[in-house]
Amino acid sequence: DVKVTQSSRYLVKRTGEKVFLECVQDMDHENMFWYRQDPGLGLRLIYFSYDVKMKEKGDIPEGYSVSREKKERFSLILESASTNQTSMYLCASRPPGAGGYTFGSGTRLTVV
Amino acid sequence: QKEVEQNSGPLSVPEGAIASLNCTYSDRGSQSFFWYRQYSGKSPELIMFIYSNGDKEDGRFTAQLNKASQYVSLLIRDSQPSDSATYLCAVNHFGNEKLTFGTGTRLTIIP
């Protein structure tokens, strides 16, 4: 089974801090994604990557950046955390062409 | 109009009955359709996918696809309390690696 591992299950950060969320997958998938999930708003795509060093903006990239230096690792960076970035963050990977996403267990981030 | 629409619920179904979850999509180029189950506080897990018109069965779950009507559904037979969760519908357009998700239907199975 594909395993997608997110480094932290719960995280509390202060406003203005730079925050790194890490995601690692073990199945050599090209495609990796970062979503945030908020009640009533569903899953919203922040950034995705088709390959190493490739990245594309999703629907809500403002305030975020990403890094993909190795195929298995896709990092989400909150440049200067704000309270409206308090959310559940979900990483996912997908093989090319077919199949659904496999999600990580999620990181619940609280910015105070 | 949202690309993928689901009734948010909550949908309440007695234990042992059939739960029917529905999803409509707007992009006629959509080719792959997925159902995810998400327990409260957990991440979504894939339970079914379907590519062709008709029915696809897997245990107590049946996915139904009607591309002409742009409609996909999930039936859960012999519903159990453990089926209580939010069910997310997702679709994929050929050549696009992203999935587009609905906002989910919250299902409650009443013992």
Side-chain angles (χ1 to χ4, degrees):
Chain A
D1 283 350
V2 178
K3 190 164 184 182
V4 179
T5 302
Q6 293 184 233
S7 54
S8 304
R9 188 76 180 92
Y10 298 95
L11 214 51
V12 179
K13 295 293 182 181
R14 294 194 180 277
T15 301
E17 277 193 78
K18 191 169 186 176
V19 181
F20 294 85
L21 302 182
E22 306 288 345
C23 177
V24 177
Q25 50 97 1
D26 66 359
M27 281 299 288
D28 205 35
H29 288 171
E30 282 78 5
N31 303 306
M32 296 187 74
F33 307 83
W34 275 107
Y35 285 84
R36 63 177 284 177
Q37 187 175 34
D38 302 286
L41 297 177
L43 286 160
R44 293 183 289 168
L45 181 63
I46 305 171
Y47 267 98
F48 59 103
S49 170
Y50 292 146
D51 205 344
V52 176
K53 297 193 186 295
M54 302 289 288
K55 60 184 179 184
E56 291 203 26
K57 294 179 180 179
D59 301 317
I60 52 163
E62 295 79 19
Y64 303 94
S65 63
V66 291
S67 172
R68 191 149 181 218
E69 296 296 319
K70 293 184 177 181
K71 193 173 189 178
E72 67 270 19
R73 185 180 297 270
F74 191 35
S75 303
L76 179 69
I77 304 155
L78 285 65
E79 298 291 343
S80 177
S82 64
T83 54
N84 63 12
Q85 293 179 309
T86 292
S87 186
M88 169 72 97
Y89 289 87
L90 291 162
C91 175
S93 76
R94 180 175 191 244
Y101 290 166
T102 298
F103 283 93
S105 56
T107 296
R108 184 162 295 281
L109 173 67
T110 302
V111 182
V112 297
Chain B
Q1 181 189 5
K2 292 182 182 176
E3 293 184 58
V4 179
E5 294 212 44
Q6 297 180 255
N7 188 324
S8 61
L11 175 66
S12 296
V13 173
E15 184 175 356
I18 295 175
S20 177
L21 303 159
N22 304 314
C23 173
T24 58
Y25 60 94
S26 60
D27 183 354
R28 286 199 170 272
S30 298
Q31 301 238 323
S32 309
F33 306 86
F34 305 88
W35 282 101
Y36 284 82
R37 177 177 61 201
Q38 186 175 23
Y39 293 115
S40 180
K42 303 293 186 182
S43 62
E45 59 177 322
L46 181 65
I47 54 171
M48 289 285 291
F49 60 89
I50 186 167
Y51 302 138
S52 304
N53 274 329
D55 294 1
K56 179 181 178 182
E57 188 174 316
D58 184 1
R60 296 187 297 112
F61 298 96
T62 299
Q64 299 176 317
L65 175 61
N66 184 325
K67 288 187 178 181
S69 300
Q70 295 174 245
Y71 178 95
V72 58
S73 64
L74 179 70
L75 302 178
I76 306 174
R77 290 183 299 281
D78 188 24
S79 296
Q80 303 296 311
S82 60
D83 295 325
S84 297
T86 296
Y87 289 80
L88 302 171
C89 172
V91 305
N92 174 241
H93 186 107
F94 179 75
N96 188 339
E97 300 297 345
K98 295 181 290 181
L99 301 188
T100 302
F101 287 85
T103 52
T105 298
R106 187 155 58 93
L107 173 66
T108 300
I109 306 301
I110 304 167

